[in-house]
């Protein structure tokens, strides 16, 4: 079970991962996160950065070490990581690596209500998804190849994992689409009949919940 954390927002972990390098103000934290591509690794909502940094300071993970002013701009508070922040970063990382947790995904949500669409349309939509995935996979491979040799593998391992997940999703989606096309998908005839008879989406959803016909 996931630990109940004082600041339970992955943006906090991202902040700790960059501010551990040196003291920074919030604008520098945001710039460093973007430069390191952390917004690709985590669901970062930039509008929450101010609140997250404040909450981390209240929790004792960050501390104020000074401030600076650039011309007429507002004063910028500079933070550094504390020993408690280092401990939190390490413990959180251990948990994320060792303990799998359910992760909500848009594709999973769509699959859960797939029956409301006719099979022929689903075949077309899956084709669109496969084409988009292929483009993303190609870009990811190119980006990863560009980093190989310039950075230790340790610092691109999340990109390797992301590529593997994309390739697995593309392979699974291709297999599903092929089963729908060649008629080997279990229950396809009944699914087609529902839509051929114009069964309302509400009735289809009800059948799915009841698990009968």
């Amino acid at each position: 079970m996931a630990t109940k954390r004082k600041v339970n927002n992955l943006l906090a972990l991202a902040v700790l991962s960059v501010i551990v390098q040196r003291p920074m103000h919030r604008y520098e934290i945001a710039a460093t996160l973007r430069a390191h591509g952390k917004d690709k690794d985590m669901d970062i909502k930039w509008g929450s950065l101010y609140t997250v940094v404040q909450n981390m300071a209240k929790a004792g993970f960050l501390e104020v070490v000074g401030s600076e002013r650039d011309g007429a701009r507002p004063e910028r508070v500079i933070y550094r990581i504390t020993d408690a922040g280092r401990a939190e970063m390490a413990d959180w990382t251990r948990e994320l690596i060792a303990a799998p947790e359910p992760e909500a995904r848009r594709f999973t949500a769509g699959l859960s209500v797939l029956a409301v669409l006719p099979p022929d349309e689903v075949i077309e939509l899956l084709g669109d998804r496969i084409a988009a995935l292929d483009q993303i996979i190609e870009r990811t491979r190119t980006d990863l190849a560009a980093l190989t040799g310039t950075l230790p593998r340790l610092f691109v391992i999340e990109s390797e994992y992301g590529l593997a997940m994309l390739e697995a999703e593309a392979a699974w989606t291709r297999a599903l689409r092929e089963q729908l096309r060649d008629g080997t998908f279990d229950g396809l005839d009944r699914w087609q009949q529902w839509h051929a008879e114009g069964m309302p989406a509400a009735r289809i959803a009800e059948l799915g919940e009841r698990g009968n016909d």
Side-chain angles (χ1 to χ4, degrees):
M1 182 179 296
T3 302
K4 184 172 178 58
R5 302 194 176 276
K6 293 180 180 178
V7 186
N8 194 23
N9 183 328
L10 280 176
L11 177 55
L13 180 61
V15 169
L16 291 171
S17 75
V18 297
I19 206 170
V20 71
Q21 301 171 33
R22 62 184 181 279
M24 299 180 186
H25 52 68
R26 287 184 297 108
Y27 300 99
E28 188 176 5
I29 291 171
T32 306
L33 287 171
R34 287 191 174 96
H36 290 187
K38 291 299 181 185
D39 51 338
K40 297 178 182 178
D41 303 330
M42 306 180 189
D43 183 18
I44 291 179
K45 295 179 173 58
W46 297 107
S48 302
L49 180 59
Y50 178 80
T51 301
V52 167
V53 169
Q54 278 194 320
N55 290 340
M56 291 170 71
K58 290 179 182 177
F61 300 144
L62 301 177
E63 62 183 2
V64 176
V65 293
S67 62
E68 66 179 33
R69 185 183 297 276
D70 183 8
R73 291 181 177 179
E75 189 175 48
R76 295 175 173 178
V77 178
I78 300 173
Y79 299 87
R80 72 179 174 194
I81 193 170
T82 63
D83 288 343
R86 287 185 174 87
E88 176 72 358
M89 178 174 60
D91 183 66
W92 205 344
T93 303
R94 291 187 188 103
E95 178 186 294
L96 289 172
I97 296 300
E101 287 285 323
E103 298 180 29
R105 297 195 59 199
R106 287 165 51 87
F107 189 37
T108 303
L111 291 172
S112 73
V113 293
L114 196 62
V116 303
L117 299 176
D120 287 345
E121 183 179 358
V122 171
I123 290 172
E124 183 177 348
L125 294 170
L126 290 175
D128 293 342
R129 186 178 191 88
I130 291 167
L133 283 170
D134 285 344
Q135 291 182 358
I136 298 171
I137 288 169
E138 186 59 34
R139 287 199 303 269
T140 304
R141 285 175 178 164
T142 300
D143 293 343
L144 191 56
L147 293 173
T148 302
T150 62
L151 287 175
R153 187 183 177 199
L154 176 62
F155 298 110
V156 296
I157 199 74
E158 73 278 9
S159 297
E160 285 188 16
Y161 173 76
L163 177 58
M165 294 301 99
L166 286 168
E167 290 173 338
E169 180 181 331
W172 185 89
T173 306
R174 278 192 171 87
L176 173 60
R177 184 170 184 264
E178 189 59 32
Q179 290 168 6
L180 292 174
R181 292 177 66 182
D182 65 18
T184 58
F185 184 86
D186 184 46
L188 179 60
D189 291 344
R190 180 169 27 177
W191 183 7
Q192 290 172 326
Q193 182 180 359
W194 291 343
H195 287 277
E197 294 175 352
M199 183 179 292
R203 176 59 177 156
I204 294 175
E206 180 186 353
L207 292 174
E209 291 294 328
R210 292 171 53 190
N212 60 35
D213 57 4

